[in-house]
């Protein structure tokens, strides 16, 4: 998937993808946030231009929530409208929902997807998934609610604060952990594609080693040449730790990265 694909991909890139036999591109069409018992589109849907039509674009709608996400009847209707409109604008026969549903609410989420799938037919419905969902009781219900699943095989384990303080952060993807998760997905009865990371990111930890989340807006120069951040080590291939010893310097560093 690629955010704002229409504005970031050139005609030359589109031709290169076609030449490589790419038949589908999952494209971030919009983000929805909770509003009352339903979902509200943030801004407008990204509409692809005609130059990308041959790539077989599949619109992806991201659900983001702070607190309890609405998963009832009102949520179903608002989500259905957004999916139908996204598919119409893209001329697509499939739409995808991207939501990091809490494990404890997976059964509710599966029920929501199942109802939406029935209402938007003959459109196909796919969904991203957390790799660990394959071990939950509600996973069987989820499989009956969609046509395709895309589990994310990265960030599979949290960084224990004690290990962070010891300079031992985990990589985005770990071969041994992924192998175990792949094995647990062998029994999935609907088609699925494993998602692996092709990006870099900045994670902020506090003094106690607890993650404060990831920065969405940053650039390499702002990180590498930030005077408030000092190299603390490279605990694993592909990961670098930087440290600011004073709290006010940490906040200044974060402000410069945004």
């Amino acid at each position: 998937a690629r955010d704002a694909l229409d504005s970031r991909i050139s005609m030359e890139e589109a031709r290169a993808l076609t030449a490589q036999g790419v038949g589908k591109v999952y494209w971030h069409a919009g983000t929805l946030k909770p509003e009352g018992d339903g979902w509200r589109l943030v801004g407008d849907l990204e509409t692809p231009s005609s130059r990308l039509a041959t790539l077989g674009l599949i619109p992806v709608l991201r659900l983001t929530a702070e607190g309890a996400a609405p998963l009832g009847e009102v949520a179903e209707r608002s989500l259905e409208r957004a999916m139908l409109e996204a598919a119409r604008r893209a001329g697509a026969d499939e739409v995808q929902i991207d939501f990091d549903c809490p494990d404890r609410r997976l059964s509710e989420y599966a029920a929501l997807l199942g109802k939406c799938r029935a209402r938007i037919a003959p459109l196909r419905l796919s969904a991203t998934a957390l790799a660990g969902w394959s071990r939950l009781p509600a996973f069987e219900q989820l499989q009956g609610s969609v046509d395709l699943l895309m589990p994310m095989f990265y960030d599979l384990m949290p960084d224990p604060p004690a290990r962070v303080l010891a300079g031992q952060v985990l990589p985005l993807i770990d071969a041994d952990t992924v192998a175990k998760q792949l094995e647990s997905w062998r029994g999935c009865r609907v088609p699925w594609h494993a998602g692996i990371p092709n990006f870099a990111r900045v994670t902020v930890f506090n003094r106690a080693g607890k993650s404060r989340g990831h920065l969405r807006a940053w650039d390499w120069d702002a990180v590498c040449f930030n005077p408030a951040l000092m190299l603390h080590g490279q605990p694993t291939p592909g990961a670098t730790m930087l440290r600011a010893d004073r709290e006010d310097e940490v906040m200044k560093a974060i402000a410069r990265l945004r």
Side-chain angles (χ1 to χ4, degrees):
R2 186 171 180 174
D3 288 352
L5 180 66
D6 183 41
S7 61
R8 296 187 184 184
I9 193 169
S10 67
M11 194 66 178
E12 183 179 352
E13 289 174 320
R15 283 196 294 265
L17 288 171
T18 301
Q20 293 169 23
V22 173
K24 284 186 179 181
V25 173
Y26 286 83
W27 148 74
H28 178 237
T31 298
L32 290 90
K33 291 186 176 181
E35 183 174 75
D37 293 330
W39 295 93
R40 176 182 60 82
L41 183 67
V42 178
D44 195 12
L45 292 170
E46 288 281 345
T47 304
S49 66
S50 58
R51 73 176 186 273
L52 303 178
T54 58
L55 290 178
L57 291 173
I58 307 300
V60 179
L61 295 174
R62 169 72 175 163
L63 305 184
T64 179
E66 295 182 2
L71 300 175
E73 184 177 347
V74 176
E76 173 195 335
R77 292 197 299 269
S78 58
L79 191 54
E80 173 201 348
R81 289 193 296 270
M83 288 191 289
L84 288 172
E85 181 61 16
R88 184 191 69 79
R89 293 196 188 189
D93 60 3
E94 178 186 339
V95 64
Q96 184 172 105
I97 297 298
D98 177 24
F99 179 46
D100 298 339
C101 178
D103 290 357
R104 60 184 173 79
R105 301 193 68 191
L106 185 59
S107 180
E108 295 175 74
Y109 179 48
L112 172 69
L113 291 178
K115 292 175 182 177
C116 287
R117 181 192 182 199
R119 295 176 69 95
I120 67 172
L123 281 176
R124 288 166 47 84
L125 176 61
S126 60
T128 62
L130 301 182
W133 287 355
S134 61
R135 303 179 186 277
L136 300 179
F139 184 58
E140 179 67 24
Q141 182 184 359
L142 178 66
Q143 295 173 65
S145 301
V146 295
D147 298 290
L148 172 74
L149 286 168
M150 289 192 172
M152 296 171 285
F153 285 94
Y154 53 89
D155 277 348
L156 299 177
M157 300 292 291
D159 285 287
R163 290 180 62 87
V164 174
L165 293 176
Q168 300 174 346
V169 294
L170 296 170
L172 274 175
I173 187 167
D174 174 72
D176 292 337
T177 305
V178 168
K180 295 177 183 178
Q181 293 288 4
L182 284 170
E183 185 63 31
S184 73
W185 274 80
R186 289 185 182 277
C188 183
R189 55 184 172 81
V190 297
W192 59 276
H193 301 306
I196 56 176
N198 65 343
F199 56 85
R201 74 169 179 212
V202 173
T203 302
V204 178
F205 297 94
N206 65 14
R207 288 184 179 275
K210 185 176 180 180
S211 173
R212 299 291 301 273
H214 314 301
L215 297 184
R216 292 188 174 275
W218 63 279
D219 64 74
W220 285 104
D221 284 351
V223 173
C224 297
F225 301 108
N226 195 314
L229 299 174
M230 302 298 293
L231 181 65
H232 187 59
Q234 294 180 292
T236 187
T240 299
M241 291 193 73
L242 300 160
R243 174 172 290 174
D245 290 329
R246 292 172 49 191
E247 190 72 24
D248 60 336
E249 291 299 316
V250 173
M251 300 311 295
K252 289 178 184 178
I254 293 174
R256 291 191 188 102
L257 293 175
R258 286 175 175 166

